Amino acid sequence: MKRTQQGFTLIELMIVVAIIGILAAVALPAYSTYQAKSKVSAAIAEASAGKTAFEIIVNDGGTVASAADIGLATTTGNCTLGATATTITCIILNAPASVNGKIVTLTRTTDGVWSCDTDIAAADEAKFTPPTCRG
């Protein structure tokens, strides 16, 4: 009488669990980096949304004193926004520890040119920040 196999052996199951563990060990840090990059990009986008209103106020001879002056909400799901006479800032919220609480600053020069900078550590800046926003 021929006997057929009716399931997986213990060693086969252990191999599958080990492979899943190795894949998870590689994927989790990569996902955390992806989340941090996404939060920094979202912070830049939310701060950039106020540039047009900022320009209109300044070109009309006014002064910007807060985020509300340029039509931005003070707090969003991604950051706490602020504005001064020459800058729009975003303090990153709800992000991985490497970028949580960091500040993205958009600065306007007197001739109307905008620049972007962050206070993310120099070692991590290239990993998390777009090339257009590196100090």
Side-chain angles (χ1 to χ4, degrees):
M1 181 149 127
K2 186 175 180 185
R3 186 168 177 210
T4 60
Q5 185 176 359
Q6 294 186 356
F8 297 107
T9 65
L10 181 60
I11 192 73
E12 289 170 333
L13 293 174
M14 289 175 63
I15 290 170
V16 169
V17 169
I19 291 171
I20 291 171
I22 291 168
L23 291 174
V26 171
L28 290 177
Y31 181 66
S32 181
T33 300
Y34 167 76
Q35 281 182 309
K37 286 174 85 169
S38 296
K39 282 293 183 173
V40 171
S41 294
I44 294 168
E46 288 186 8
S48 294
K51 287 179 10 181
T52 301
F54 195 104
E55 287 291 334
I56 290 170
I57 291 170
V58 171
N59 289 334
D60 287 343
T63 303
V64 176
S66 70
D69 291 348
I70 54 176
L72 297 177
T74 306
T75 303
T76 67
N78 294 317
C79 60
T80 301
L81 293 159
T84 66
T86 59
T87 64
I88 302 172
T89 59
C90 175
I91 302 170
I92 300 172
L93 302 173
N94 306 318
S98 52
V99 296
N100 198 39
K102 301 298 182 186
I103 302 171
V104 173
T105 305
L106 299 178
T107 305
R108 183 187 186 276
T109 62
T110 55
D111 58 350
V113 177
W114 287 91
S115 63
C116 179
D117 196 16
T118 67
D119 67 346
I120 296 173
D124 292 333
E125 191 173 40
K127 187 175 11 174
F128 300 132
T129 308
T132 56
C133 194
R134 293 185 188 151

